[in-house]
Amino acid sequence: MHIRVLGSAAGGGFPQWNCNCRQCAGVRNGSLRAQRRTQSSIALSDDGVDWVLCNASPDIRAQLESFAPLQPARRLRDSAIAGVVLMDSQIDHCTGLLSLREGCPHNVWCTERVHQDLNTGFPLFTMLSHWNGGLQWQPVRLNREPFRIAACYHLRFCAIPLISNAPPYSPNRGNPQPGDNIGLFIEDQRSGASLFYAPGLGQVDEEVLGWMQRADCLLLDGTLWRDDEMRLCEVGHSLGSEMGHLAQSGPGGMLEVLEAFPRQRKVLIHINNTNPILDEDSAERALLARRGIEVAYDGMDIVL
């Protein structure tokens, strides 16, 4: 299984376009040792030829340009994108579909609740129906039964309902329901290697722990270091837990959870611009390194 991190930041990217916090200002003026990052998305392939996108961020055009295999140029108009799986209906995870309109129709796998949000509060399916058939919905069931995507036939996908939060335009905002957010357990049937991908994860319950235990690689929500980070940095009022993201530090935080997984490769993704782990010289980044936890970056390749 080939995994390419197209984007590793949370909504707004890093540096965020309108943010002058210490980290965003530092990466702009060169005083902070950190990499710039676009908004999170990954691409998966079982052969390095055909690829499935997991989320389509607003930065999709730049991400495609940075990864040559996604533009194989076999024909006058061409793309290696064989489908898109949406983890939720958040703006930073689906808006990139608008930039892919010239390539419609696209097969889009998502849950019924995400499909509803993207036909009502943020009607992407409706808008794009005017471009050569638009988006072709492929329902993702919550019955834990694996599904396949033909172009990457050797990969088996299984959707796991997560406790997180729905976007502000969803009727489920503040009261998330099963199907608003999913994680993916993806297994390569040839090698037996597996990935658990969950860029938006508010709570880790027993079921999620079980799927994490089965995986060889964990690519998990790294949005915030502290639950009150937005308030501490004076850039917002919401707690991470209110937004549906489990902080890394503190009792029950992601670092504590990951202590139970010594054999797995552990990588944090969807990292907010305020998170000190973006600073490569920070104490928080050093702590991750001591615990064997990696920080995803744009262009990161993982082969399982």
Side-chain angles (χ1 to χ4, degrees):
M1 182 186 339
H2 304 262
I3 305 160
R4 173 75 172 200
V5 176
L6 298 175
S8 52
F14 179 63
Q16 183 171 306
W17 66 276
N18 68 337
C19 185
N20 295 297
C21 69
R22 182 190 74 85
Q23 297 206 144
C24 288
V27 78
R28 287 194 190 99
N29 64 31
S31 64
L32 190 81
R33 195 162 69 93
Q35 297 185 48
R36 293 171 178 264
R37 287 167 163 84
T38 58
Q39 295 166 91
S40 77
S41 174
I42 65 171
L44 302 170
S45 178
D46 63 356
D47 60 6
V49 176
D50 295 303
W51 296 79
V52 172
L53 302 184
C54 293
N55 293 333
S57 91
D59 300 314
I60 187 67
R61 185 184 180 281
Q63 293 168 348
L64 297 181
E65 287 290 317
S66 71
F67 188 45
L70 288 176
Q71 177 46 273
R74 297 162 295 194
R75 295 176 292 276
L76 187 60
R77 292 287 179 94
D78 194 21
S79 170
I81 299 172
V84 181
V85 181
L86 297 179
M87 316 297 288
D88 52 51
S89 55
Q90 299 282 354
I91 278 180
D92 55 318
H93 288 163
C94 64
T95 314
L97 291 168
L98 292 170
S99 297
L100 300 180
R101 62 190 180 277
E102 294 89 354
C104 286
H106 294 292
N107 287 317
V108 176
W109 281 259
C110 65
T111 67
E112 183 177 359
R113 287 194 176 276
V114 168
H115 186 243
Q116 288 173 354
D117 284 346
L118 298 183
N119 274 291
T120 53
F122 185 30
L124 277 181
F125 277 83
T126 305
M127 288 187 284
L128 287 171
S129 65
H130 301 282
W131 277 269
N132 195 33
L135 307 177
Q136 304 298 309
W137 179 39
Q138 309 297 325
V140 170
R141 312 296 182 191
L142 299 178
N143 57 6
R144 284 69 167 178
E145 288 296 320
F147 65 95
R148 297 180 190 270
I149 296 173
C152 296
Y153 184 79
H154 296 290
L155 302 183
R156 291 201 315 175
F157 297 76
C158 188
I160 314 303
L162 300 180
I163 302 172
S164 185
N165 206 350
Y169 42 81
S170 171
N172 298 326
R173 180 68 172 184
N175 183 31
Q177 303 296 315
D180 287 331
N181 298 265
I182 61 168
L184 285 176
F185 181 83
I186 307 148
E187 184 178 17
D188 188 324
Q189 290 204 285
R190 294 168 304 178
S191 67
S194 56
L195 169 73
F196 183 72
Y197 177 54
L201 181 58
Q203 297 178 36
V204 179
D205 58 20
E206 289 301 318
E207 181 180 12
V208 169
L209 286 171
W211 288 101
M212 290 170 64
Q213 192 65 52
R214 292 177 57 180
D216 296 297
C217 181
L218 305 174
L219 191 53
L220 301 174
D221 190 337
T223 308
L224 301 171
W225 183 260
R226 297 172 51 127
D227 191 42
D228 62 351
E229 189 172 301
M230 302 289 284
R231 296 177 183 177
L232 184 68
C233 295
E234 299 182 335
V235 296
H237 302 289
S238 297
L239 297 173
S241 53
E242 294 171 345
M243 296 186 290
H245 297 291
L246 178 66
Q248 278 107 69
S249 63
M254 189 66 76
L255 267 66
E256 185 176 290
V257 170
L258 291 178
E259 288 180 356
F261 300 93
R263 72 169 183 85
Q264 282 88 346
R265 184 173 180 181
K266 300 174 280 288
V267 185
L268 299 178
I269 195 169
H270 194 273
I271 306 156
N272 199 59
N273 64 86
T274 54
N275 193 327
I277 66 174
L278 292 172
D279 179 352
E280 296 175 19
D281 297 318
S282 68
E284 291 84 357
R285 184 64 170 264
L287 176 58
L288 291 186
R290 291 195 298 271
R291 297 195 179 192
I293 301 171
E294 302 172 63
V295 179
Y297 56 87
D298 292 22
M300 185 181 198
D301 286 309
I302 301 171
V303 179
L304 299 175

